[in-house]
Amino acid sequence: MAYERASGLIVRTYDWSETSRIIVVWTRELGKVRLLAKGGRRLKSNFEVALDLLTVCSIVWLRKPSAGLEILTEARAEERFPALRKDLKALNAGYYIAELLGDGTQDYDPHPGLYDAGLTALRSLNDHSDDSLGTVSWFEWSWLRESGHLPVTASCVHCSRMLEDWRASETTGFSTSGGGIVCENCRNSYRDYRVLEPTCLSFLTNLDVYVAANWSALNPSARRQVRQVLSDCVVYHLGRMPRLLNYLS
Ligand SMILES: [Zn+2]
């Protein structure tokens, strides 16, 4: 057995026994790990201050070579997001991000880019909670990219015709099952084809870098469509509806 050390975000905790808890930590170095915090339910445990959901901790644990629970031996809080506790909308957005981190990847499957995106999103929610849906949209885009499911936005997913070669009057469509935009010629190839507003497409194609002003500039109908497209993609690739999705708006 060897000791491991990492920084990570607590994405889930649940009771294990009268005195112990399991914590699921999303680490930058090693991906998701599940650890038994012995005494983690006692008020005066060694970990008391560090084991809250959405806390970034530096942790040490005993890694086992075979299956079985691994034991947390040290935890120290490094960063918290206190403003989330005062704003239910932002808090639910934070829990949603934790859910996607926790359930969208396997144990010990590191994605440093996704870890960084999660922290960037939580910091943004903490500082600008009025913009929570814009931040969530950007995080979903990062999550889709890191899990290899980023929607295609440069060419039709069916015929590969580049968007710049489409007729000026041509309607842009989108198919979740097809994995991106669909031209008019191919619209009958997808049962889940939907027309995409140009402002919605332009927002999505600029989502690699999050610019809060881009979200603020969207009209309500384009915002609804962005949310619909992204949440459909997440549900499709996660294989189920995230528990927190309905609490976002
Ligand atoms: Zn096409």
Side-chain angles (χ1 to χ4, degrees):
M1 290 198 284
Y3 283 97
E4 293 279 5
R5 183 181 295 273
S7 274
L9 174 74
I10 300 186
V11 294
R12 206 174 154 207
T13 73
Y14 49 96
D15 295 340
W16 177 252
S17 68
E18 292 272 305
T19 55
S20 299
R21 287 160 87 189
I22 301 284
I23 60 165
V24 183
V25 190
W26 224 94
T27 71
R28 189 172 199 284
E29 297 86 347
L30 293 161
K32 183 173 63 173
V33 294
R34 288 162 207 278
L35 306 171
L36 178 64
K38 286 185 176 171
R41 292 188 65 193
R42 283 195 216 108
L43 274 176
K44 295 226 182 288
S45 83
N46 294 339
F47 318 118
E48 183 198 346
V49 284
L51 298 184
D52 295 332
L53 208 54
L54 301 182
T55 301
V56 179
C57 302
S58 117
I59 54 168
V60 179
W61 72 99
L62 210 48
R63 186 161 178 183
K64 289 187 178 173
S66 57
L69 279 168
E70 305 190 319
I71 313 287
L72 180 71
T73 59
E74 279 178 53
R76 188 167 45 79
E78 285 185 337
E79 185 174 359
R80 294 170 186 279
F81 307 98
L84 299 190
R85 315 280 165 192
K86 298 175 194 143
D87 181 324
L88 188 60
K89 218 169 78 177
L91 184 62
N92 283 334
Y95 287 157
Y96 175 68
I97 287 166
E99 184 179 357
L100 287 192
L101 285 172
D103 292 2
T105 54
Q106 303 298 313
D107 292 5
Y108 286 108
D109 174 22
H111 289 268
L114 187 56
Y115 178 81
D116 292 344
L119 254 55
T120 300
L122 290 171
R123 287 174 188 141
S124 163
L125 288 172
N126 192 66
D127 298 343
H128 320 279
S129 60
D130 51 327
D131 188 35
S132 64
L133 287 179
T135 302
V136 162
S137 301
W138 173 78
F139 177 75
E140 289 169 324
W141 193 255
S142 309
W143 183 85
L144 288 166
R145 182 178 52 236
E146 286 287 331
S147 49
H149 302 301
L150 195 63
V152 173
T153 53
S155 59
C156 171
V157 284
H158 195 69
C159 69
S160 303
R161 193 157 56 93
M162 296 300 290
L163 182 62
E164 65 225 37
D165 298 330
W166 296 13
R167 297 183 303 280
S169 61
E170 192 164 340
T171 305
T172 306
F174 188 88
S175 160
T176 307
S177 62
I181 60 168
V182 179
C183 76
E184 251 178 35
N185 304 341
C186 301
R187 62 184 299 163
N188 292 328
S189 304
Y190 298 97
R191 291 178 69 177
D192 62 348
Y193 175 94
R194 78 176 83 197
V195 172
L196 206 56
E197 287 183 33
T199 46
C200 177
L201 175 63
S202 139
F203 178 81
L204 293 176
T205 53
N206 287 303
L207 210 47
D208 278 347
V209 178
Y210 180 56
V211 181
N214 291 356
W215 176 256
S216 317
L218 283 183
N219 64 48
S221 121
R223 282 186 185 196
R224 272 195 300 277
Q225 195 171 45
V226 166
R227 293 303 314 134
Q228 192 68 56
V229 165
L230 289 173
S231 53
D232 283 357
C233 288
V234 167
V235 170
Y236 185 80
H237 293 295
L238 193 63
R240 66 167 178 80
M241 174 88 127
R243 288 180 296 279
L244 266 301
L245 189 57
N246 282 333
Y247 294 91
L248 290 182
S249 46

